[in-house]
Amino acid sequence: MAYDLEEQEQLATLKAWWNQYGNLTSWVLIAGMAAYSGWTGWNYYQGKQAAQASALYDEVQHAMQGKDNAKVQRAAGDMQSRFAGTAYAPMSALTAAKSAFEAGDMKAAKAQLQWAAEHGEEEIKALAKLRLAGVLLDEKAYDEALKVLAGDTTAQFAGAVADRKGDILVAQNKLVEARAAYQAALAAIDKKNPGRRLIELKFEAIGGTVPADKAAA
């Protein structure tokens, strides 16, 4: 079909535009398609990683229930090497630490807690540090335990951290500092918390006095 004059002019205009901008437009389209493809592929990869990590986490839990510490440690190590970026990895590390502790393997317990403290979300990090400090307290590694607890922590664990610091300081016979730590713990812990009374008893045992209006009911 022959083009009429107006169509020929439009075609000429289009060709001129394409000659000037067509190559750039093609690259923009290609880049956009590549970005979309990459984003879709990344989401698929992330979903697949999460599913595999979830299955491996179940394996860790089942081994823990079966009190098979060797299997727990293997599965947790596999999780850390393959799925370190997932939330399941630090949770598996906490489970593996508990398994190792119950099996009397303090070296493995400390290693797993250290890994969780370095790779977990804030709450996981705080819990891992708290438990690691407890293991170090049992080993009489007092300065190392205090170092683990140094720095800021989440409000959720502030009282527990201060309480653990108090225990370590008492073990070092640093009673003035221990009283300050227990006072900080009491200030951070809700009056209705069932663990508050134990902190009060420890505080009073080293010469502290809990004000009547702050004592647990």
Side-chain angles (χ1 to χ4, degrees):
M1 172 184 278
Y3 293 104
D4 59 24
L5 182 60
E6 182 179 356
E7 289 174 328
Q8 291 181 36
E9 290 177 347
Q10 290 174 346
L11 182 58
T13 301
L14 177 60
K15 285 181 177 179
W17 181 90
W18 184 259
N19 287 335
Q20 183 173 0
Y21 300 110
N23 193 45
L24 175 62
T25 302
S26 294
W27 280 108
V28 170
L29 289 173
I30 291 170
M33 292 172 65
Y36 176 77
S37 177
W39 179 79
T40 303
W42 176 249
N43 281 343
Y44 172 77
Y45 172 77
Q46 288 288 83
K48 185 177 180 181
Q49 286 282 98
Q52 292 175 338
S54 176
L56 188 54
Y57 182 69
D58 287 341
E59 184 178 330
V60 172
Q61 294 297 313
H62 290 153
M64 179 69 180
Q65 293 171 5
K67 299 188 182 301
D68 188 344
N69 180 55
K71 187 174 182 179
V72 170
Q73 301 307 317
R74 285 196 302 271
D78 193 18
M79 178 79 79
Q80 291 160 20
S81 64
R82 295 173 58 196
F83 308 113
T86 69
Y88 292 104
M91 291 192 299
S92 292
L94 288 181
T95 300
K98 184 175 186 294
S99 176
F101 182 84
E102 293 177 352
D105 186 352
M106 296 301 104
K107 182 178 179 180
K110 289 187 291 184
Q112 293 289 357
L113 289 170
Q114 185 64 47
W115 197 94
E118 293 174 354
H119 296 84
E121 297 294 332
E122 290 304 312
E123 290 76 10
I124 294 290
K125 286 182 178 180
L127 182 57
K129 288 181 178 181
L130 194 60
R131 292 179 179 176
L132 179 55
V135 174
L136 293 169
L137 172 58
D138 290 342
E139 295 183 339
K140 296 182 171 55
Y142 305 130
D143 290 337
E144 190 176 352
L146 288 173
K147 185 178 179 180
V148 167
L149 296 176
D152 296 331
T153 189
T154 62
Q156 179 184 356
F157 288 95
V161 168
D163 178 40
R164 183 57 50 84
K165 286 181 179 178
D167 295 343
I168 298 167
L169 291 165
V170 168
Q172 291 179 300
N173 202 34
K174 297 179 179 180
L175 301 187
V176 174
E177 294 175 56
R179 283 194 288 270
Y182 287 140
Q183 280 182 314
L186 290 172
I189 292 178
D190 189 272
K191 293 180 181 180
K192 296 180 180 179
N193 189 309
R196 182 184 177 87
R197 182 53 185 159
L198 176 58
I199 300 174
E200 291 177 347
L201 291 173
K202 290 188 291 185
F203 181 45
E204 292 171 339
I206 59 171
T209 302
V210 180
D213 60 333
K214 293 185 179 181

